[in-house]
Amino acid sequence: MANFFNFYKTLKNQFKQRIMKLTFVITVFVILHSNLFAQENPSWLLQPEKTIKRVKKIAPKVGEIAPDFTQVDSIGNKFTLSSFKGKYVLLDFWASWCGPCRAEFPHLVKAYDKYKGKNFTIIGVTRDQEKEKSKWLQAIADEGMTWLQISDFDQSAARLYNAVSLPSNFLIDPTGKIVAVNLRGDRLDTFLGEVLK
């Protein structure tokens, strides 16, 4: 008889555990279901191809025309990338809080000083947020970056170039075509030495 009660007790505990698990799963399903279908016509459901395109967005490739954009520079003037057509432009995405970006600046300063008289310039594009503007401006001064710096506080330029990881850069030739991406360190100096002979 004792064996029967032990068996019954074990069975009862297992049943309770299964009920608790099932209750949990149903609760999670109800929460997810109500959030996913809260809208009458959710756009991700009606237009899956647009969602997929957003997810698959990739950076412009070598050989493609650099996407144009207009933003404001560090002193408040409007800037349009295409206004630099006719020059080699290194479009450099960075942020004041990005350690690898800061480590790369000495190479950029060296390249700029060496090639700025040879139809070459750098345009820095910050990924800092507007509330970090003072840190951005301080980083420009601290790192000795004398080239044009653009505020991309709304991240629209970064989205155009899919500049998710930092630092990211794009070398654009005088016709507006991207000729190299993510040139860093000695590779930057070597590449510029070849194209700016």
Side-chain angles (χ1 to χ4, degrees), residues 64-67 69 81 84 87-91 119-120 161 170-180:
E64 294 180 352
I65 296 296
F69 63 89
L81 178 62
F84 278 78
K87 280 190 165 202
Y88 278 92
V89 174
L90 184 71
L91 191 63
N119 203 34
F120 169 76
Y161 285 82
F170 300 82
L171 184 62
I172 303 164
D173 76 4
T175 67
K177 191 185 296 181
I178 297 169
V179 292

Side-chain angles (χ1 to χ4, degrees), residues 93-154:
F93 290 89
W94 68 282
S96 63
W97 43 261
C98 168
C101 301
R102 305 291 288 259
E104 192 61 31
F105 291 147
H107 298 288
L108 294 178
V109 170
K110 181 181 167 189
Y112 182 73
D113 290 343
K114 186 173 179 179
Y115 297 107
K116 66 183 176 186
K118 296 185 176 183
N119 203 34
F120 169 76
T121 193
I122 300 174
I123 298 171
V125 183
T126 186
R127 291 286 315 272
D128 287 288
Q129 295 178 359
E130 193 161 9
K131 64 184 178 185
E132 300 165 321
K133 184 175 181 178
S134 62
K135 291 179 183 175
W136 169 54
L137 295 173
Q138 189 61 51
I140 294 169
D142 290 349
E143 301 293 346
M145 296 185 288
T146 56
W147 53 86
L148 185 65
Q149 296 291 333
I150 304 303
S151 61
D152 188 31
F153 297 141
D154 65 1

Side-chain angles (χ1 to χ4, degrees), residues 6-190:
N6 286 339
F7 173 75
Y8 176 76
K9 200 173 184 180
T10 304
L11 193 61
K12 185 178 174 185
N13 287 337
Q14 287 176 351
F15 182 75
K16 276 185 182 177
Q17 288 175 353
R18 287 186 180 168
I19 290 293
M20 287 173 59
K21 285 179 184 176
L22 184 60
T23 304
F24 174 77
V25 169
I26 290 171
T27 303
V28 169
F29 175 80
V30 168
I31 290 169
L32 288 176
H33 186 271
S34 63
N35 286 340
L36 290 175
F37 296 94
Q39 302 171 349
E40 186 176 323
N41 295 312
S43 60
W44 61 266
L45 188 60
L46 297 176
Q47 300 171 325
E49 68 284 348
K50 284 189 179 178
T51 303
I52 291 166
K53 280 180 189 172
R54 270 200 310 272
V55 171
K56 288 188 175 179
K57 174 89 173 109
I58 56 172
K61 295 183 182 98
V62 170
E64 294 180 352
I65 296 296
D68 199 15
F69 63 89
T70 300
Q71 282 292 17
V72 177
D73 69 18
S74 58
I75 56 173
N77 297 322
K78 271 201 170 183
F79 154 86
T80 300
L81 178 62
S82 57
S83 67
F84 278 78
K85 222 169 193 178
K87 280 190 165 202
Y88 278 92
V89 174
L90 184 71
L91 191 63
D92 180 52
F93 290 89
W94 68 282
S96 63
W97 43 261
C98 168
C101 301
R102 305 291 288 259
E104 192 61 31
F105 291 147
H107 298 288
L108 294 178
V109 170
K110 181 181 167 189
Y112 182 73
D113 290 343
K114 186 173 179 179
Y115 297 107
K116 66 183 176 186
K118 296 185 176 183
N119 203 34
F120 169 76
T121 193
I122 300 174
I123 298 171
V125 183
T126 186
R127 291 286 315 272
D128 287 288
Q129 295 178 359
E130 193 161 9
K131 64 184 178 185
E132 300 165 321
K133 184 175 181 178
S134 62
K135 291 179 183 175
W136 169 54
L137 295 173
Q138 189 61 51
I140 294 169
D142 290 349
E143 301 293 346
M145 296 185 288
T146 56
W147 53 86
L148 185 65
Q149 296 291 333
I150 304 303
S151 61
D152 188 31
F153 297 141
D154 65 1
Q155 309 298 312
S156 58
R159 281 194 298 274
L160 273 177
Y161 285 82
N162 201 33
V164 177
S165 63
L166 297 177
S168 289
N169 65 45
F170 300 82
L171 184 62
I172 303 164
D173 76 4
T175 67
K177 191 185 296 181
I178 297 169
V179 292
V181 295
N182 293 327
L183 293 170
R184 297 193 186 100
D186 293 336
R187 281 185 60 233
L188 174 62
D189 185 54
T190 303

